[in-house]
Amino acid sequence: ACQVNWFCNFVVGVGFPYLQASLGPWSFLPFGAVLVACLVFVLTRMPETLGLTPKEVVRDVRAMWGGMGDWQELGMDDRDLELAPDQFDKY
């Protein structure tokens, strides 16, 4: 993730002067469009997780995204999705 971040910063740093020369005062419009697209994605495709248990989050994600595979394929079972009461302080 760090390398992707640095690469994207490099691309923006190298490309922005050309973007500014071609769009002038509208040079931030493409960045705003990406932000709006991300906001629409989050509001429409990401489930609300406030107050839900990990098991309920998995259920909602599976319902929204269509399955996402079985936990058994990953060597997990339903017990892996439950938190002990002393683990809640970590989150």
Side-chain angles (χ1 to χ4, degrees):
C2 183
Q3 289 84 2
V4 171
N5 187 24
W6 276 100
F7 176 74
C8 291
N9 284 333
F10 175 76
V11 169
V12 169
V14 169
F16 185 77
Y18 300 107
L19 187 66
Q20 188 176 23
S22 64
L23 296 178
W26 300 100
S27 58
F28 289 99
L29 189 62
F31 300 106
V34 170
L35 288 176
V36 169
C38 290
L39 178 65
V40 169
F41 172 79
V42 168
L43 292 176
T44 60
R45 299 297 295 164
M46 300 302 291
E48 176 60 57
T49 60
L50 182 65
L52 298 179
T53 64
K55 199 174 206 176
E56 292 169 328
V57 171
V58 169
R59 181 201 61 213
D60 291 348
V61 168
R62 283 182 176 172
M64 184 174 281
W65 291 86
M68 301 291 290
D70 291 325
W71 290 108
Q72 289 79 19
E73 294 173 7
L74 300 173
M76 300 173 68
D77 59 19
D78 288 341
R79 291 174 295 173
D80 294 317
L81 301 176
E82 297 173 1
L83 294 174
D86 61 335
Q87 290 178 310
F88 287 117
D89 294 334
K90 294 179 184 176
Y91 303 102

